[in-house]
């Protein structure tokens, strides 16, 4: 289990990209906090204060944001896959 603090900003509950990020966290038993910017304007203001205007936006230990569903980059930041850099297989996790 990871000791990372993960915050995922989402814009609605039906976003395919947001659901993929959430499913990845669940798959690896990573605890996370979801902040829905559509339902809560305070969450939207938090994200905009960071100059981010798109979702999903994933923060891991308050590091630089990972936008969208970038499976390898997220796994690398969480330390889940030491053998894969976040640059490898750029299309991994991206469905047409």
């Amino acid at each position: 289990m990871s000791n990372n603090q993960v915050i995922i900003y989402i814009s609605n509950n039906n976003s395919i990209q947001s659901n993929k990020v959430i499913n990845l966290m669940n798959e690896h038993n990573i605890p996370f906090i979801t902040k829905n910017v559509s339902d809560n304007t305070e969450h939207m203001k938090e994200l905009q204060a960071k100059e981010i205007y798109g979702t999903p936006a994933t923060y891991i230990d308050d590091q630089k944001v990972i936008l969208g569903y970038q499976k390898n980059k997220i796994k690398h930041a969480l330390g889940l896959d030491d053998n894969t850099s976040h640059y490898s297989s750029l299309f991994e996790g991206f469905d047409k």
Side-chain angles (χ1 to χ4, degrees):
M1 181 177 283
S2 173
N3 291 328
N4 302 99
Q5 178 185 7
V6 178
I7 299 173
I8 306 168
Y9 289 89
I10 63 172
S11 57
N12 63 47
N13 294 327
N14 295 323
S15 164
I16 293 170
Q17 297 294 311
S18 296
N19 288 337
K20 286 182 178 185
V21 173
I22 290 168
N23 289 338
L24 181 64
M25 296 301 151
N26 289 332
E27 176 183 328
H28 292 283
N29 296 316
I30 305 293
F32 61 92
I33 297 168
T34 303
K35 294 188 175 187
N36 190 320
V37 300
S38 296
D39 293 342
N40 187 320
T41 57
E42 290 304 314
H43 296 323
M44 182 185 301
K45 290 176 186 176
E46 284 175 26
L47 193 59
Q48 289 176 345
K50 298 175 187 206
E51 298 184 1
I52 303 296
Y53 301 94
T55 60
T58 305
Y59 284 87
I60 300 169
D61 293 334
D62 224 12
Q63 296 175 15
K64 185 176 177 183
V65 65
I66 300 172
L67 296 175
Y69 177 64
Q70 299 184 59
K71 182 179 179 179
N72 285 338
K73 196 169 188 178
I74 293 168
K75 288 175 73 173
H76 183 75
L78 290 168
L80 295 175
D81 194 354
D82 294 333
N83 297 325
T84 305
S85 93
H86 63 278
Y87 294 110
S88 68
S89 185
L90 294 176
F91 295 103
E92 172 77 19
F94 179 79
D95 295 331
K96 292 181 179 180

